[in-house]
Amino acid sequence: MLSAELGHEILYLTKEDVINAGITDQEIIEQARFTLAAHGNEAYQMPPKMALYPVVDSFMHSMPGYVPETGACGIKWAECFPDNYKHNLPQLSGLVIVNCPETGMPVCIMDATWITGKRTAGVTAVSASHLARKDTHEIGLIGAGVQGLEQLLFLPLVLPNLKTIKITDKIPASAERLRDTIKEKFPHLNVVCKETNEEIVRGSQLIVSATIVLAVPNPGIKDEWIEPGTLCMPIDRNSMWEWKTFLGVDKFVIDSADEFNFFVSAGKLPKETPDIHAQLGEIVAGHRPGRENDTERILNLNIGMGIEDVVVAKEIYDRARAKELGRVLPL
Ligand SMILES: NC(=O)c1ccc[n+]([C@@H]2O[C@H](COP(=O)([O-])OP(=O)(O)OC[C@H]3O[C@@H](n4cnc5c(N)ncnc54)[C@H](O)[C@@H]3O)[C@@H](O)[C@H]2O)c1
């Protein structure tokens, strides 16, 4: 087993090392379920994010978290710059620092892009298993980027009756690429591209949007298209959705009320807010009901929680040591 001398060295893991640690999508779902339950049971520490906004529509978030049951302790420093495609760079980047909870010492630094992609989709999958209609057979995705891919890799794992996936993107070739990838992975599914958001929304029991978080939202999803019984999953906050949808759904579920309130107070979400039915973790832990009938419209906004990142990062660190991945660097 690779070991760095505590207090004198750290393990450094590239994105490739992180992937080679070998955590499966199914394991990510179980970790998301565990972390959400820990949140619902208040068995965690996680102060709300601190943020920098260097350019319009960008953000940099500090996301600390500690989950005592697993010893997962650390922080993600996450960046989101929507114009990065102009530099041939991804929209999202980041690093995770893993700390030893007994001494506080940093033990590992790793690339966070894989973790962000996977854990976000893992949370959506857990959400869908509690909040989507059991007979969900048609889902729609707007935004066929990194997150779009992960969402569509995870959702079929928890929707046993799924038959059709509809995809759109402002760049049609991106939607077509994603269609081909998902079709290859799940040959039993009907995977199709659509030209309009309306075609994505109408007839879907679950809708995911994963585009760009805009300082000034440009809602491309009209409230009247959303049918009774739909689960709405904005990964990109309120960029694509009319605020009246947030205010008018039967149940508004949030991952963290603290994070939600932080975004409202920072002016990143409107001041008039919907009543929170529950935090997702409270539903996962069994303290609050999830979906109760096939007609309620539910919107689940998951802003993202640092505890989700550090739980996955700790597991990657443990596996990387066992597999002797990465490089030991002096402190
Ligand atoms: N809530 C969370 O925890 C969390 C985690 C990760 C990412 N995100 C958010 O998810 C979003 C997507 O991230 P990503 O890494 O997939 O980015 P990405 O750049 O890889 O993909 C975004 C895709 O959306 C498309 N797009 C942009 N505007 C569109 C529009 N108006 N209509 C249709 N398609 C449009 C782009 O062409 C691109 O294919 C970002 O807003 C990011 O902040 C949220």
Side-chain angles (χ1 to χ4, degrees):
M1 178 176 292
L2 190 75
S3 63
E5 196 190 341
L6 188 67
H8 299 282
E9 296 171 324
I10 53 159
L11 185 62
Y12 173 72
L13 300 177
T14 63
K15 181 176 178 183
E16 199 183 342
D17 296 328
V18 167
I19 293 169
N20 288 339
I23 300 184
T24 66
D25 290 353
Q26 198 61 55
E27 287 170 329
I28 291 280
I29 293 175
E30 291 321 312
Q31 288 177 341
R33 203 183 300 282
F34 163 82
T35 308
L36 288 162
H39 187 259
N41 289 324
E42 300 184 2
Y44 71 99
Q45 293 178 23
M46 187 182 67
K49 298 174 175 76
M50 289 195 294
L52 301 175
Y53 310 104
V55 299
V56 176
D57 291 337
S58 75
F59 60 80
M60 301 171 76
H61 284 155
S62 71
M63 302 173 65
Y66 175 43
V67 182
E69 194 178 330
T70 58
C73 180
I75 185 167
K76 180 167 83 168
W77 181 229
E79 300 84 31
C80 184
F81 283 63
D83 282 345
N84 270 4
Y85 70 91
K86 293 175 186 164
H87 311 289
N88 202 23
L89 291 169
Q91 184 179 179
L92 271 83
S93 57
L95 291 171
V96 178
I97 300 174
V98 179
N99 294 81
C100 161
E102 281 89 38
T103 63
M105 296 306 302
V107 295
C108 184
I109 295 180
M110 68 181 77
D111 179 88
T113 50
W114 185 89
I115 296 175
T116 302
K118 292 289 179 188
R119 66 72 152 146
T120 308
V123 169
T124 298
V126 175
S127 170
S129 65
H130 287 270
L131 299 177
R133 284 171 55 143
K134 293 286 169 247
D135 64 350
T136 294
H137 53 89
E138 187 165 320
I139 67 176
L141 169 79
I142 302 174
V146 173
Q147 220 11 262
L149 166 67
E150 298 299 344
Q151 299 283 324
L152 294 189
L153 288 175
F154 278 68
L155 280 168
L157 304 182
V158 293
L159 298 173
N161 297 308
L162 187 62
K163 290 193 172 50
T164 299
I165 296 178
K166 300 176 292 185
I167 306 171
T168 196
D169 193 285
K170 70 174 182 188
I171 303 170
S174 301
E176 286 157 16
R177 246 194 327 272
L178 180 57
R179 176 199 59 199
D180 295 347
T181 303
I182 297 301
K183 187 79 203 148
E184 200 178 319
K185 178 87 180 164
F186 303 107
H188 65 290
L189 295 177
N190 174 35
V191 190
V192 292
C193 293
K194 297 287 179 188
E195 281 179 19
T196 67
N197 293 338
E198 184 168 359
E199 292 170 285
I200 293 295
V201 173
R202 288 198 191 273
S204 295
Q205 294 84 50
L206 191 161
I207 306 155
V208 178
S209 66
T211 60
I212 290 172
V213 174
L214 297 166
V216 180
N218 182 19
I221 298 175
K222 297 285 165 249
D223 187 64
E224 68 255 28
W225 302 337
I226 304 170
E227 295 176 6
T230 304
L231 173 61
C232 309
M233 302 279 324
I235 308 298
D236 41 13
R237 249 182 275 160
N238 59 329
S239 292
M240 291 297 293
W241 305 73
E242 296 184 286
W243 194 244
K244 74 174 177 188
T245 300
F246 280 69
L247 296 173
V249 289
D250 299 295
K251 284 183 177 148
F252 174 66
V253 177
I254 187 82
D255 51 357
S256 158
D258 287 346
E259 296 288 353
F260 181 65
N261 292 335
F262 160 73
F263 279 89
V264 172
S265 63
K268 302 294 175 188
L269 287 169
K271 289 272 176 262
E272 188 192 359
T273 55
D275 291 337
I276 296 174
H277 163 71
Q279 299 181 110
L280 182 57
E282 293 172 311
I283 295 171
V284 174
H287 303 313
R288 297 281 292 146
R291 174 174 290 279
E292 290 170 285
N293 61 60
D294 280 351
T295 56
E296 55 190 0
R297 294 196 313 170
I298 301 178
L299 190 146
N300 176 207
L301 175 64
N302 296 319
I303 291 172
M305 302 195 290
I307 50 174
E308 294 157 359
D309 298 297
V310 297
V311 165
V312 178
K314 166 72 165 50
E315 181 65 23
I316 290 169
Y317 169 62
D318 289 343
R319 291 193 192 194
R321 287 179 63 206
K323 292 184 169 186
E324 307 207 335
L325 300 171
R327 265 169 278 177
V328 174
L329 301 177
L331 273 174

